[in-house]
Amino acid sequence: MFTVDPAGNSDEILIEAILGLGEPLVSRNLSPNAYSVSRQELKLVRRGLVTQPRLLTRNGNRSGSREILIPKSRQNMQKLSDKQAIALAEMGLRLENHYGRPQDVEWAVVGDRLNILQSRPITTTQAPYASPNEGLETLNALVSGASASPGIGPEQFG
């Protein structure tokens, strides 16, 4: 979930969801359902559902994970209910308020319970928020000298 849509719509929270473990979403091996929630009214404004033919799950008692096929009758299902999407958006806004800047939040559903796994500042937003360097002072170098490996410049390939 992005508490500000990284594509630039600062009025909406973007939530992406797949069934199973999140690795295929992060690696972009699966396309997610996408939910947009209004930041002001906390109402669902858009829902984009996609077909999900497979999911990644824990490998039982063994370590690692395994991929399984989803029955055709469930491949087009809504991954989150509208109520869950709004509840996640509320959690996201609380995290943003706590940390003082838009957040990229990893979450999971276990049973009926929404769980926050991780929250960090959004690094790809185009919204006009404070610079991460705002308020930092310029420091003077303590030492100087040549680097251990100055690298190869273009002049050496001429």
Side-chain angles (χ1 to χ4, degrees):
M1 163 177 45
F2 296 96
T3 62
V4 173
D5 187 336
N9 189 346
S10 61
D11 297 331
E12 295 179 3
I13 296 167
L14 174 64
I15 301 170
E16 295 180 324
I18 61 170
L19 297 175
L21 300 175
E23 183 182 327
L25 172 63
V26 173
S27 65
R28 295 293 181 202
N29 288 329
L30 280 177
S31 295
N33 281 3
Y35 303 83
S36 291
V37 177
S38 162
R39 290 174 54 87
Q40 298 301 318
E41 298 150 359
L42 283 172
K43 290 185 180 178
L44 193 67
V45 292
R46 258 185 318 288
R47 178 189 323 109
L49 306 180
V50 298
T51 301
Q52 183 179 340
R54 63 193 187 288
L55 65 83
L56 191 66
T57 187
R58 287 182 37 212
N59 197 13
N61 293 331
R62 297 184 186 149
S63 64
S65 57
R66 64 187 174 106
E67 195 173 84
I68 60 173
L69 295 177
I70 297 174
K72 285 226 184 263
S73 62
R74 299 195 65 213
Q75 289 182 5
N76 294 311
M77 69 182 284
Q78 187 168 327
K79 312 303 187 290
L80 284 176
S81 69
D82 293 355
K83 185 177 177 179
Q84 287 174 313
I86 291 167
L88 267 173
E90 287 178 294
M91 289 179 188
L93 288 176
R94 286 177 35 209
L95 287 164
E96 180 179 302
N97 185 52
H98 176 77
Y99 290 111
R101 62 185 311 135
Q103 296 291 298
D104 174 356
V105 181
E106 291 183 20
W107 56 274
V109 176
V110 179
D112 290 331
R113 185 180 170 114
L114 296 170
N115 298 279
I116 300 299
L117 306 177
Q118 175 176 293
S119 186
R120 60 186 170 268
I122 295 177
T123 57
T124 59
T125 184
Q126 296 174 5
Y129 286 92
S131 161
N133 296 326
E134 186 175 297
L136 295 180
E137 60 185 82
T138 302
L139 301 176
N140 295 324
L142 297 177
V143 296
S144 63
S147 64
S149 175
I152 299 174
E155 64 279 354
Q156 295 177 347
F157 292 108

